[in-house]
Amino acid sequence: MRPTGPTDSTDRTRHHEDRLRADGGSALADSYDVVVGGSGMSASTTATILGKHGFDVAMIEAGTHPRFAIGEAMLPQSSMWMWIVGEYHDIPEIQYLSDANEIVDNITTSCGIKHSIGFAYHEPDRPVSADRTHQLIPPNLPFYSESHLLREDVDHYLVDVAREYGVDYVDETEITDVDLGEDEVTVTTDRGVATASFYVDGTGGNSILADQLGYREDAPELETDSRAIFTHVEGLDPFDEVLGADARPGQSNRLHDGTLHHVFDGGWMWVIPFDNFDRSEATRASVGLMLDREAYPVDESVEPIEEVERIVSQFPDIEQHLDTADPVMPWTRTGRIQRSASQSSGHRHYLTSNTYGFVDPLYAIGLVNTFESVFVSTNLLLDAFEDEDFSAERFAPVDELHRRQLSNNDRLISNAYKSMGDFRLWNAWTQMWLGQVLFHDLYIQRHCFNYLESGQTAEFDALLDEAAPGDGAPFATQKAAMHLMMADVLDAYEAGETSADRAADQMLAEMREADWLPKHVYDWGTDRARHVDFSNPELVGKLIQWGKTDSPDRIREGLFDFTVPEMV
């Protein structure tokens, strides 16, 4: 099926301008190829890709832009996925998000950098000591870098990009009904009705369609059970200046040069500075508490700021870190933030990953999942238009991808909360997380390196054949087994069936036995392992040398079978 809308970029712009409302927004036309509900990052990126390929698209937003959104901290994988999606579809405007300098040059001067992932473990009434911190510094690669995204600016930018690619952006318009007919979808709003061949639901937790189809009923119950209290602040000093000189990690970057996690029994706090980049004009930081609801049940009798002050007063270094910070908006307190659905796709529709479900912002997995999902789902949708097949079976891979993402995230994060009660447990779990995130990064980098050598976007197509990108990695089976073993150990600890020390010993021993974790690069499985700095070319060289010569055959042949590009 060929797109009904104009395919020439000039015609697309003219076609778009013909439907402008008097207030500058787009008026809703009678019919489209695709209607996208919502205008977050997933919705806007999806709409832009479809517009790029010549389809007539409406993006319907209940609110408007710019609007406040909590800051996002990126990971190497989220940067890589933005780069891949932009390169695969030849959309540089998406690819700009994968590099901090490109963000400043093309999007906003209000974003920070993320050249560090740091964790500081706190105990009541005690300062943080040198052996209670972890810091991961990612490698410096020329085709991507991680940032702290001021979502208010970035989300608005992506909406504008979608409009430049011919998408009708219809804001301040509430979707009231979605009817999935045999031959078309009918979307009813408070401003009119439009039909389409397909509906993409990016409306998040407020999805009308998910409610209509009963997707929120009988949804899988998530083990993670947390709530949030958050704000933006100004005047926040680097935590490195709070720590004594002998307690700092002492690596090439400060903790302030990236995302900092204050961790304690029952919760954690994110600190995402937007002012830590010399090209940023921002003065703010995003700060938020995540709390296990059993350990910290909400106290509605006090204001959110009072609850924050009461909690952080237990931990002298967190209290001192926030001492200079002034909130620029009231602290916002939520109820339980987890949500899930029983299904993510069907006849003539699918939900975006964030609409399907959400666990917790720990480990900043959200944007990785968003762009994995955009990559997989848009390719399925483009193929569906070509074959004129919009059946539920056609989009079953979206359902499977989102199920796996949510399940993996829930296992990773719920067990992180369990481990927070004892530092040795937290240390073991953090080492495991470091290993799995490093090697998943390498697996996606491998595809990027092979693409840079061949120049063929088909190098990325193998990722479309995996139930979830990364499932084909040569360490995936062993990593999954390690996760399950450690989860069982933490369950036994939580049930009082084993001690924290014995549980930590078992978890560390599991990593020592793992042949896919190179111990000369990082001392996985020992109590003393803490920091690793992959901005050090010598350390990166050791890793690649091991991978190409001394690693197990499956790792060498399925992970390190790339040529390192000259620019690296």
Side-chain angles (χ1 to χ4, degrees), residues 53-76:
H53 287 275
F55 291 93
D56 200 9
V57 182
M59 183 165 62
I60 303 175
E61 166 59 45
T64 189
H65 287 273
R67 64 187 181 198
F68 174 80
I70 285 296
E72 286 272 17
M74 295 169 65
L75 288 172

Side-chain angles (χ1 to χ4, degrees), residues 26-58:
S26 295
L28 192 66
D30 293 334
S31 66
Y32 294 90
D33 296 314
V34 180
V35 169
V36 178
S39 63
M41 292 183 77
S42 185
S44 296
T45 305
T46 296
T48 296
I49 292 169
L50 295 171
K52 166 72 176 183
H53 287 275
F55 291 93
D56 200 9
V57 182

Side-chain angles (χ1 to χ4, degrees), residues 387-513:
D387 297 339
E388 298 186 57
D389 176 10
F390 303 99
S391 64
E393 293 77 16
R394 190 72 181 242
F395 296 93
V398 177
D399 203 43
E400 179 63 17
L401 170 62
H402 291 168
R403 288 178 195 274
R404 293 172 76 92
Q405 287 177 334
L406 197 69
S407 174
N408 290 341
N409 294 349
D410 187 37
R411 183 170 64 247
L412 183 68
I413 293 169
S414 64
N415 284 293
Y417 274 97
K418 293 173 189 175
S419 73
M420 291 174 187
D422 178 87
F423 179 74
R424 288 196 71 225
L425 288 175
W426 171 250
N427 179 39
W429 189 257
T430 301
Q431 289 186 34
M432 183 282 301
W433 170 81
L434 169 62
Q436 65 99 26
V437 76
L438 169 65
F439 276 80
H440 273 287
D441 289 352
L442 275 170
Y443 185 67
I444 303 302
Q445 283 170 349
R446 165 185 178 264
H447 290 79
C448 296
F449 291 157
N450 288 336
Y451 164 72
L452 289 169
E453 184 179 21
S454 72
Q456 302 297 314
T457 57
E459 298 287 356
F460 300 115
D461 288 346
L463 295 169
L464 295 169
D465 297 328
E466 300 174 0
D471 276 7
F475 56 85
T477 301
Q478 291 77 20
K479 183 213 75 172
M482 180 182 291
H483 268 205
L484 292 174
M485 175 271 175
M486 290 188 175
D488 288 344
V489 169
L490 286 169
D491 283 344
Y493 161 71
E494 191 173 53
E497 298 169 2
T498 188
S499 67
D501 281 337
R502 178 166 173 74
D505 288 341
Q506 290 176 273
M507 294 163 68
L508 293 169
E510 183 75 6
M511 286 183 282
R512 288 197 300 273
E513 295 298 316

Side-chain angles (χ1 to χ4, degrees), residues 191-374:
R191 284 182 181 246
V193 178
T195 60
S197 296
F198 201 87
Y199 180 67
V200 176
D201 192 340
T203 57
N206 299 317
S207 169
I208 292 292
L209 182 62
D211 289 340
Q212 287 181 184
L213 297 178
Y215 287 176
R216 300 297 187 204
E217 301 170 10
D218 301 319
E221 182 64 26
L222 300 178
E223 190 170 0
T224 309
D225 185 358
S226 58
R227 63 186 181 93
I229 315 176
F230 58 85
T231 189
H232 278 186
V233 301
E234 289 191 340
L236 184 73
D237 289 336
F239 186 60
D240 309 78
E241 297 176 7
V242 173
L243 290 173
D246 59 348
R248 298 170 192 164
Q251 298 202 97
S252 61
N253 290 329
R254 303 172 299 171
L255 293 167
H256 190 69
D257 291 326
T259 306
L260 174 63
H261 308 73
H262 291 302
V263 180
F264 50 88
D265 186 9
W268 63 281
M269 171 179 277
W270 76 73
V271 179
I272 304 175
F274 303 117
D275 63 353
N276 64 349
F277 185 27
D278 58 7
R279 298 191 64 197
S280 173
E281 297 176 1
T283 58
R284 297 184 180 185
S286 175
V287 176
L289 271 174
M290 294 301 308
L291 302 166
D292 179 275
R293 294 201 310 154
E294 183 176 352
Y296 288 95
V298 65
D299 183 355
E300 298 283 3
S301 69
V302 299
E303 293 297 315
I305 188 172
E306 296 175 80
E307 189 176 12
V308 172
E309 290 172 346
R310 184 170 65 196
I311 291 169
V312 303
S313 68
Q314 304 172 78
F315 310 108
D317 283 350
I318 303 180
E319 188 173 40
Q320 186 179 349
H321 190 197
L322 297 182
D323 186 55
T324 60
D326 295 318
V328 298
M329 54 176 278
W331 288 84
T332 298
R333 181 167 55 199
T334 74
R336 188 184 185 193
I337 65 169
Q338 288 72 42
R339 64 174 180 271
S340 62
S342 59
Q343 194 169 326
S344 189
S345 65
H347 177 66
R348 292 189 180 272
H349 74 279
Y350 65 74
L351 314 183
T352 63
S353 60
N354 190 60
T355 300
Y356 173 70
F358 180 75
V359 180
D360 187 284
L362 184 61
Y363 300 128
I365 309 168
L367 282 180
V368 178
N369 291 164
T370 290
F371 280 85
E372 286 177 338
S373 176
V374 166

